[in-house]
Amino acid sequence: MEQKTDTVISVRNLSKNYGDLEVLRKIDMDVHEGEVICVIGPSGSGKSTFLRCLNYLEKPTGGEIEILGSKIIGGAHSRAQEKADEKAAMQIRREVGMVFQQFNLWPHMTVLENVIEGPVDVRGVPKKEAEEKAIELLKKVGMDQKKDVYPTQLSGGQQQRVAIARTLAMNPKVILFDEPTSALDPEFVNEVLNVIRDLAKEKMTMIIVTHEMGFAAEAASRVCFMDGGYIIEDGTPDEVFKHPKTDRAKQFFSKILNV
């Protein structure tokens, strides 16, 4: 019998509105330790907004998010609740890393300086210790030979690999990836996906918003298909890609997959 892993993220009835525009509608999701969840769907379906709500880059309009014991209540109506949400968000960000579409590296810092900045400035890790760990992580993503180079001297794929090393340097328990290859030239996509594949093999808990269907089918333990602000399919890659239950998912996959 398979051992059940701990729930690290619990989302209940999550909603997000921009005025009259409903971007997320009644999202429910549990994420267990070691799961790799790929969130897919058409543009504008709410995928990135969902990810940004998880670490409070967007304030939820309603519902609840609990991550590693810290809870955010959507649609806070009092200043006390807002302060409680902000405190919870700070704790969540200490445990949850995020890798964005754009690499967000500091252009005036070398690769090594970019990777050690968080551990040294935020976690108070001694600089020498942070540098030793950073070099290990840069080796992990194949970028240790570029440690003294500045980001502008790197390709997009190289910059994204450095961004992943920078996220790992903070020892996150969960990593959120927001379309990590969408800003890359096609020739650099695979080098970034290979790094994420390796993290999946190491059982890093990850939620990945992606348009890379082949990668999702291969690397994910679960796939969630979003449309119109809802999660309308949630299952194994085989269940979602080969046996979708909804007409909308069948229509979507018929246009982009050879099924």
Side-chain angles (χ1 to χ4, degrees), residues 24 26 33 36 88 91 102-103 118 158 160 179 189 197 207 217 224-225 229 232 243-244:
L24 297 177
K26 299 181 179 179
E33 185 179 353
V36 178
Q91 185 59 37
Q102 300 298 333
F103 325 117
Q158 289 173 325
Q160 192 63 294
E179 299 190 26
V189 167
R197 285 185 183 98
I207 304 178
C224 295
F225 178 81
I232 63 172
H243 307 286

Short mmCIF file of all heavy atoms in Angstrom, two decimals, residues 24 26 33 36 88 91 102-103 118 158 160 179 189 197 207 217 224-225 229 232 243-244:
data_model
loop_
_atom_site.label_atom_id
_atom_site.label_comp_id
_atom_site.label_asym_id
_atom_site.label_seq_id
_atom_site.Cartn_x
_atom_site.Cartn_y
_atom_site.Cartn_z
N LEU A 24 -10.24 33.83 -11.13
CA LEU A 24 -10.24 32.52 -10.48
C LEU A 24 -11.58 32.31 -9.82
O LEU A 24 -12.11 33.21 -9.16
CB LEU A 24 -9.13 32.44 -9.42
CG LEU A 24 -7.68 32.56 -9.91
CD1 LEU A 24 -6.73 32.52 -8.71
CD2 LEU A 24 -7.33 31.47 -10.90
N LYS A 26 -13.54 29.60 -7.33
CA LYS A 26 -13.75 28.43 -6.47
C LYS A 26 -12.72 27.31 -6.73
O LYS A 26 -13.08 26.16 -6.99
CB LYS A 26 -15.17 27.89 -6.64
CG LYS A 26 -16.24 28.91 -6.24
CD LYS A 26 -17.64 28.35 -6.39
CE LYS A 26 -18.68 29.38 -5.96
NZ LYS A 26 -20.06 28.88 -6.12
N GLU A 33 3.53 16.47 -0.38
CA GLU A 33 4.98 16.52 -0.43
C GLU A 33 5.51 15.60 -1.54
O GLU A 33 5.11 14.45 -1.66
CB GLU A 33 5.56 16.08 0.91
CG GLU A 33 7.07 16.21 1.01
CD GLU A 33 7.58 15.79 2.37
OE1 GLU A 33 6.76 15.53 3.28
OE2 GLU A 33 8.81 15.72 2.53
N VAL A 36 4.72 16.67 -8.27
CA VAL A 36 5.05 17.61 -9.35
C VAL A 36 3.76 17.84 -10.12
O VAL A 36 3.28 16.94 -10.82
CB VAL A 36 6.15 17.05 -10.27
CG1 VAL A 36 6.43 18.03 -11.41
CG2 VAL A 36 7.42 16.76 -9.48
N ALA A 88 1.59 35.96 7.33
CA ALA A 88 1.59 34.61 6.79
C ALA A 88 2.32 34.55 5.46
O ALA A 88 3.08 33.60 5.19
CB ALA A 88 0.14 34.12 6.62
N GLN A 91 6.06 34.41 5.87
CA GLN A 91 6.50 33.07 6.26
C GLN A 91 6.46 32.12 5.07
O GLN A 91 7.38 31.32 4.86
CB GLN A 91 5.64 32.54 7.40
CG GLN A 91 6.10 31.20 7.95
CD GLN A 91 7.53 31.23 8.48
OE1 GLN A 91 7.96 32.23 9.08
NE2 GLN A 91 8.28 30.16 8.23
N GLN A 102 10.39 35.88 -16.68
CA GLN A 102 11.60 36.69 -16.83
C GLN A 102 12.52 36.35 -15.67
O GLN A 102 12.07 36.06 -14.57
CB GLN A 102 11.24 38.18 -16.83
CG GLN A 102 10.29 38.59 -17.95
CD GLN A 102 10.87 38.37 -19.33
OE1 GLN A 102 12.09 38.39 -19.51
NE2 GLN A 102 10.01 38.13 -20.31
N PHE A 103 13.79 36.42 -15.88
CA PHE A 103 14.75 35.80 -14.96
C PHE A 103 15.00 36.64 -13.71
O PHE A 103 15.36 36.12 -12.67
CB PHE A 103 16.05 35.53 -15.71
CG PHE A 103 15.81 35.16 -17.15
CD1 PHE A 103 16.27 35.95 -18.19
CD2 PHE A 103 15.05 34.03 -17.46
CE1 PHE A 103 16.01 35.62 -19.51
CE2 PHE A 103 14.78 33.70 -18.78
CZ PHE A 103 15.27 34.48 -19.81
N GLY A 118 20.35 36.14 -1.46
CA GLY A 118 19.25 35.77 -0.57
C GLY A 118 19.73 35.10 0.71
O GLY A 118 19.37 35.52 1.82
N GLN A 158 20.60 30.09 -20.01
CA GLN A 158 21.59 30.13 -18.93
C GLN A 158 21.11 31.00 -17.78
O GLN A 158 21.27 30.64 -16.61
CB GLN A 158 22.91 30.66 -19.48
CG GLN A 158 23.62 29.68 -20.40
CD GLN A 158 24.85 30.29 -21.06
OE1 GLN A 158 24.87 31.50 -21.40
NE2 GLN A 158 25.88 29.49 -21.28
N GLN A 160 18.03 31.55 -16.91
CA GLN A 160 16.96 30.87 -16.19
C GLN A 160 17.53 29.77 -15.30
O GLN A 160 17.03 29.55 -14.18
CB GLN A 160 15.93 30.29 -17.17
CG GLN A 160 14.64 29.81 -16.53
CD GLN A 160 13.85 30.91 -15.85
OE1 GLN A 160 14.29 31.48 -14.85
NE2 GLN A 160 12.68 31.22 -16.38
N GLU A 179 5.59 29.52 -16.03
CA GLU A 179 5.99 29.45 -17.43
C GLU A 179 7.50 29.71 -17.59
O GLU A 179 7.89 30.67 -18.25
CB GLU A 179 5.15 30.41 -18.28
CG GLU A 179 3.67 30.08 -18.23
CD GLU A 179 2.85 30.86 -19.24
OE1 GLU A 179 3.40 31.26 -20.27
OE2 GLU A 179 1.65 31.07 -18.98
N VAL A 189 15.07 25.89 -24.54
CA VAL A 189 13.99 25.40 -23.69
C VAL A 189 14.40 24.12 -22.96
O VAL A 189 14.20 23.98 -21.75
CB VAL A 189 12.70 25.17 -24.52
CG1 VAL A 189 11.68 24.36 -23.72
CG2 VAL A 189 12.11 26.52 -24.95
N ARG A 197 13.38 18.57 -14.64
CA ARG A 197 13.24 17.11 -14.61
C ARG A 197 14.07 16.50 -13.48
O ARG A 197 13.62 15.60 -12.77
CB ARG A 197 13.67 16.50 -15.95
CG ARG A 197 12.69 16.69 -17.09
CD ARG A 197 13.16 15.94 -18.33
NE ARG A 197 12.27 16.17 -19.45
CZ ARG A 197 12.49 17.06 -20.43
NH1 ARG A 197 13.59 17.80 -20.40
NH2 ARG A 197 11.62 17.20 -21.41
N ILE A 207 4.93 23.18 -8.35
CA ILE A 207 3.76 23.48 -9.20
C ILE A 207 4.31 24.27 -10.38
O ILE A 207 4.96 25.31 -10.20
CB ILE A 207 2.69 24.29 -8.46
CG1 ILE A 207 2.24 23.57 -7.19
CG2 ILE A 207 1.49 24.54 -9.38
CD1 ILE A 207 1.20 24.33 -6.39
N ALA A 217 3.46 15.79 -19.68
CA ALA A 217 3.08 14.38 -19.77
C ALA A 217 4.16 13.47 -19.19
O ALA A 217 3.86 12.43 -18.61
CB ALA A 217 2.81 14.01 -21.23
N CYS A 224 -3.18 19.51 -13.94
CA CYS A 224 -4.43 20.25 -13.75
C CYS A 224 -4.67 21.10 -14.99
O CYS A 224 -3.80 21.89 -15.39
CB CYS A 224 -4.36 21.14 -12.51
SG CYS A 224 -4.22 20.24 -10.97
N PHE A 225 -5.83 20.94 -15.58
CA PHE A 225 -6.21 21.73 -16.75
C PHE A 225 -7.17 22.83 -16.31
O PHE A 225 -8.21 22.55 -15.70
CB PHE A 225 -6.88 20.84 -17.80
CG PHE A 225 -7.35 21.59 -19.02
CD1 PHE A 225 -6.47 21.91 -20.04
CD2 PHE A 225 -8.68 21.97 -19.14
CE1 PHE A 225 -6.91 22.60 -21.16
CE2 PHE A 225 -9.13 22.66 -20.25
CZ PHE A 225 -8.24 22.98 -21.27
N GLY A 229 -10.97 30.21 -15.36
CA GLY A 229 -10.82 30.43 -13.92
C GLY A 229 -11.13 29.22 -13.06
O GLY A 229 -11.05 29.30 -11.84
N ILE A 232 -10.76 22.28 -14.36
CA ILE A 232 -11.82 21.42 -14.87
C ILE A 232 -11.35 19.98 -15.10
O ILE A 232 -12.16 19.09 -15.36
CB ILE A 232 -12.47 21.99 -16.15
CG1 ILE A 232 -11.46 22.07 -17.29
CG2 ILE A 232 -13.09 23.35 -15.88
CD1 ILE A 232 -12.11 22.44 -18.62
N HIS A 243 -7.48 10.63 -21.55
CA HIS A 243 -8.89 10.34 -21.22
C HIS A 243 -9.55 11.54 -20.53
O HIS A 243 -10.12 11.39 -19.44
CB HIS A 243 -8.96 9.11 -20.32
CG HIS A 243 -8.24 7.92 -20.86
ND1 HIS A 243 -8.70 7.16 -21.91
CD2 HIS A 243 -7.04 7.37 -20.50
CE1 HIS A 243 -7.84 6.20 -22.18
NE2 HIS A 243 -6.83 6.30 -21.35
N PRO A 244 -9.51 12.73 -21.15
CA PRO A 244 -10.15 13.89 -20.52
C PRO A 244 -11.66 13.67 -20.40
O PRO A 244 -12.28 13.06 -21.27
CB PRO A 244 -9.81 15.04 -21.47
CG PRO A 244 -9.55 14.39 -22.78
CD PRO A 244 -8.94 13.05 -22.47
#
